[in-house]
Amino acid sequence: MKVGLVLEGGGMRSLFTMGIVDLMIEEGIKVDGVVGVSAGACFGCNYKSHQPGRSLRYNIQMKDEPRYMGWRTFLRTGNLLDPEFAYHTVPMEIDIFDRETFEKDPTEFHVVCTDIVTGKPVYKQLKTIDYEALEWIRASSSMPLVSTPVELEGKLLLDGGMTDSIPLKYAQEQGFEKNIVILTQPEEYRKHASKLPLLFKLLLGKYPQIAETMGRRHLMYNAQKEFIKAEAAKGNAMLIYPDEPLNISRTSQNEADMRRVYGLGRQKGKELLAELKSYVESFHVL
């Protein structure tokens, strides 16, 4: 029986996720596949490359780097994160991503994006890390309104969280019958309707379907929260949440906040370590 690891996004909230995932790497807790959305994909790829601590490390290193992220970058490129520097220069030249280990590790790695023309989710399994694969990760992580669409395989793509925020159902469809699902909001959190529908329609007017999708996003997200809760009750999922709101912005460059949120994840991982090991081992994952 195959076990998957499903990683919600949330920008810098996903450092909570990585506190848990890094502990899993260090403790040798092996799953058969990872499905990551947005920052869950951008950070979660380090599970397959066996690089605990990397996500926190490079974000702290880059916090004062004007080429990495910020409004100056947005004015210069149309993207809050510099497409070339953040997604290619950093992993290939500054904090080197271990492509060889990623490719040799048998764990499947899937990312979720959104087709802004159709308003539908798009999924991609990445078996290697090259320029195109990094573009898939960039697409999954590209927040609407502050990012330009990424063109891949004839599609215009942005953040996967717009259409499949918690892709447990997709993981199950890929054959992962049991899943560990790590979320970046507390258990009781539910989304409210967006207060920016007119802004979405104005700025995404060329793509009316995605503007409509964004207007309904809260309904999709809240339905997914109920679905994962039901799957957990059936024993098909182990859900991990922060106990309280993480109180960090998606684009925070505050080192103290990054370390705090990452530390909360490690603390939660240690609390659940025996349960995590038992859950995986009970399904005979090798």
Side-chain angles (χ1 to χ4, degrees), residues 81-101:
L81 276 85
D82 185 291
E84 191 64 30
F85 185 80
Y87 291 98
H88 297 281
T89 302
V90 170
M92 294 296 105
E93 300 178 21
I94 296 176
D95 196 318
I96 309 299
F97 185 80
D98 190 341
R99 291 180 289 175
E100 182 178 358
T101 298

Side-chain angles (χ1 to χ4, degrees), residues 253-269:
Q253 293 176 290
N254 182 289
E255 180 175 347
D257 279 345
M258 287 189 276
R259 290 189 182 278
R260 173 182 59 81
V261 169
Y262 178 81
L264 288 171
R266 288 196 65 97
Q267 178 183 330
K268 176 60 69 173

Side-chain angles (χ1 to χ4, degrees), residues 21-280:
V21 170
D22 286 353
L23 190 66
M24 291 175 65
I25 299 170
E26 294 162 5
E27 293 289 333
I29 299 175
K30 293 292 294 176
V31 297
D32 298 289
V34 178
V35 182
V37 182
S38 194
C42 190
F43 297 169
C45 58
N46 293 287
Y47 176 87
K48 185 170 163 62
S49 67
H50 303 187
Q51 290 179 281
R54 181 175 173 272
S55 298
L56 178 66
R57 183 176 64 240
Y58 76 72
N59 275 292
I60 289 174
Q61 183 181 354
M62 292 293 110
K63 66 183 177 64
D64 298 318
E65 170 55 68
R67 293 174 294 170
Y68 184 65
M69 178 170 63
W71 292 112
R72 282 181 291 178
T73 299
F74 179 75
L75 292 173
R76 177 169 49 85
T77 69
N79 295 270
L80 200 60
L81 276 85
D82 185 291
E84 191 64 30
F85 185 80
Y87 291 98
H88 297 281
T89 302
V90 170
M92 294 296 105
E93 300 178 21
I94 296 176
D95 196 318
I96 309 299
F97 185 80
D98 190 341
R99 291 180 289 175
E100 182 178 358
T101 298
F102 181 95
E103 291 166 10
K104 287 181 178 179
D105 186 280
T107 308
E108 292 184 26
F109 183 72
H110 301 250
V111 301
V112 186
C113 304
T114 295
D115 184 326
I116 65 170
V117 175
T118 65
K120 302 292 185 182
V122 174
Y123 307 95
K124 182 72 172 181
Q125 182 180 355
L126 303 180
K127 298 181 179 181
T128 185
I129 292 293
D130 54 16
Y131 193 93
E132 182 176 315
L134 291 170
E135 286 291 277
W136 277 99
I137 291 172
R138 176 165 81 91
S140 181
S141 307
S142 291
M143 296 180 288
L145 305 183
V146 293
S147 307
T148 56
V150 182
E151 186 171 357
L152 289 162
E153 297 183 359
K155 300 178 177 67
L156 293 176
L157 305 174
L158 283 175
D159 194 324
M162 293 189 286
T163 48
D164 196 353
S165 297
I166 311 169
L168 174 58
K169 187 170 291 185
Y170 171 77
Q172 293 172 336
E173 290 168 354
Q174 303 314 299
F176 304 112
E177 298 169 78
K178 307 293 180 179
N179 288 275
I180 299 163
V181 182
I182 306 180
L183 297 110
T184 59
Q185 296 280 16
E187 183 175 9
E188 67 276 8
Y189 175 80
R190 297 294 185 274
K191 282 191 183 297
H192 300 293
S194 173
K195 297 178 180 179
L196 302 172
L198 290 177
L199 185 60
F200 285 127
K201 288 181 180 179
L202 283 171
L203 298 181
L204 299 171
K206 289 174 61 179
Y207 309 106
Q209 190 59 53
I210 197 60
E212 289 184 23
T213 297
M214 289 299 290
R216 299 191 305 269
R217 187 186 178 197
H218 64 294
L219 301 175
M220 174 273 296
Y221 183 87
N222 295 340
Q224 289 190 326
K225 289 293 287 282
E226 295 307 313
F227 175 72
I228 65 172
K229 183 178 178 181
E231 288 301 292
K234 296 175 186 175
N236 294 332
M238 176 181 176
L239 308 183
I240 305 177
Y241 304 83
D243 295 327
E244 298 176 349
L246 294 171
N247 294 324
I248 186 172
S249 77
R250 286 175 172 269
T251 58
S252 176
Q253 293 176 290
N254 182 289
E255 180 175 347
D257 279 345
M258 287 189 276
R259 290 189 182 278
R260 173 182 59 81
V261 169
Y262 178 81
L264 288 171
R266 288 196 65 97
Q267 178 183 330
K268 176 60 69 173
K270 289 176 181 178
E271 292 171 3
L272 297 174
L273 185 58
E275 187 177 347
L276 276 166
K277 287 183 175 180
S278 176
Y279 186 82
V280 172

